Amino acid sequence: MDTAGKVIKCKAAVLWGPRQPFKIEEIEVAPPKAHEVRIKIVATGICRSDDHVLEGLMKDKKYPVILGHEGAGIVESIGDGVTNVKPGKSQKMRVGLQPIKHQNLSPRKIDYLNLSGIFTDISCTIKQKRHTVYINWQVIYNHINTSTFTEYTVVDESSVVKIHDDAPLEKVCLIGCGFSTGYGSAVNLAKVEPGSTCAVFGLGGIGLSVIIGCKIAGASRIIAIDVNSKKFEKAKELGATECVNPKDYENPIHEVIMNMTDGGVHYSFECIGNTDIMVSILNRYRFYIDFTSVKWLKWVVSLQLLSCR
């Protein structure tokens, strides 16, 4: 493309501070450096994690920041050493919080665990960062090494995955976080076993994806729990065997589930981010619990690790 190697001026939704309104700003996006990809964003999803930053609940986050971490778009240009994608091809962006095995990874120093990180040349150390996005030379910070609330973004090549040319980008973008988090929690983290009983609290995108994962893994009972009964039809379509609305019962929901299952479930997935539900489960029952985003916890857990706020 004729913009390759040049700074691109475009629009982005910039958050200047916690609990402030987004502002549509003109930003300058530098060309990709080695092992980086510059993408024209076509579609992006909105995740609860973005809301946490908006509300100021992620204490280590720096502002101003461009949020968004599940997107899809077109590769505009690539930096030296990039071999997995080419300009002009549709790509799905996914969250890049953990290093991905790559034959060229060893000499590179990757700052994936710095959630308040800057758009950087990740071949540099943390102290040698060279910034990629500016507004009048003011640095704009990155969100989880992606930042999709913008017309153009620069990411590491390991955060980009090829997709079919005819894939609908407005749907594919959701796979970048919501689906992979929920499905992966059931299949990869919890490793749900055939014939087991699962409880899924919260039937949003992550919860429904957990149900799909539990079904694929062979769970015999999948109990879907939500205060909105309108979600039950979709939950059953995707694999839930039973649906429960806590509002329909006088007893606490954990007692309801215990009575339904004659002592408890094998796996329980909290997909809301509600610490009251987490504490209730942990205090009363020794469930296997996956909190869908960061931790796989078994049996005894320090409650200090549970807060998503």
Side-chain angles (χ1 to χ4, degrees), residues 34-77:
H35 299 287
E36 292 182 344
V37 181
R38 187 161 62 181
I39 296 175
K40 179 180 180 180
I41 296 295
V42 176
T44 182
I46 299 175
C47 180
R48 185 68 178 273
S49 300
D50 300 313
D51 184 66
H52 288 336
V53 180
L54 177 62
E55 294 297 321
L57 302 178
M58 295 179 69
K59 302 303 182 182
D60 61 345
K61 181 62 67 174
K62 295 183 180 180
Y63 302 86
V65 61
I66 298 176
L67 298 180
H69 59 276
E70 48 184 24
I74 309 298
V75 173
E76 176 271 337
S77 59

Side-chain angles (χ1 to χ4, degrees), residues 82-107:
V82 175
T83 59
N84 59 333
V85 295
K86 297 180 180 180
K89 300 295 184 181
S90 295
Q91 305 295 327
K92 176 180 73 66
M93 185 182 306
R94 63 176 180 74
V95 177
L97 282 176
Q98 70 286 339
I100 306 299
K101 291 184 179 179
H102 190 284
Q103 61 181 357
N104 296 325
L105 202 59
S106 55

Side-chain angles (χ1 to χ4, degrees), residues 118-293:
I118 306 167
F119 283 93
T120 66
D121 173 359
I122 56 179
S123 64
C124 299
T125 63
I126 294 175
K127 294 182 180 180
Q128 296 175 324
K129 290 176 178 175
R130 289 177 287 173
H131 312 319
T132 302
V133 176
Y134 301 89
I135 296 178
N136 295 325
W137 293 104
Q138 179 171 356
V139 173
I140 307 300
Y141 289 89
N142 168 266
H143 181 53
I144 320 184
N145 293 293
T146 46
S147 286
T148 60
F149 293 178
T150 175
E151 293 179 317
Y152 286 87
T153 190
V154 175
V155 300
D156 181 71
E157 63 177 327
S158 61
S159 292
V160 182
V161 178
K162 294 180 181 179
I163 60 174
H164 292 290
D165 290 340
D166 58 351
L169 299 184
E170 73 280 2
K171 297 179 180 179
V172 166
C173 65
L174 301 177
I175 301 176
C177 178
F179 176 79
S180 54
T181 298
Y183 182 88
S185 294
V187 175
N188 296 329
L189 293 180
K191 300 186 186 301
V192 171
E193 297 180 354
S196 59
T197 298
C198 303
V200 181
F201 291 82
L203 302 179
I206 291 178
L208 293 176
S209 300
V210 168
I211 291 175
I212 296 174
C214 291
K215 180 180 179 180
I216 293 295
S220 60
R221 293 184 70 183
I222 304 173
I223 304 172
I225 303 110
D226 201 290
V227 296
N228 185 354
S229 298
K230 294 181 179 179
K231 298 180 180 181
F232 291 166
E233 180 179 357
K234 178 61 69 173
K236 289 184 177 180
E237 178 184 332
L238 295 175
T241 57
E242 302 148 82
C243 294
V244 176
N245 188 331
K247 293 182 178 180
D248 295 337
Y249 299 86
E250 293 183 359
N251 293 337
I253 187 60
H254 57 263
E255 294 182 6
V256 174
I257 300 301
M258 286 289 287
N259 292 333
M260 290 177 59
T261 58
D262 191 27
V265 300
H266 299 101
Y267 303 90
S268 182
F269 298 85
E270 200 288 331
C271 306
I272 306 168
N274 187 315
T275 53
D276 292 335
I277 294 178
M278 299 179 194
V279 172
S280 176
I281 296 174
L282 287 173
N283 280 344
R284 296 180 182 270
Y285 308 109
R286 292 186 174 184
F287 290 169
Y288 286 101
I289 302 171
D290 176 69
F291 295 117
T292 75
S293 57

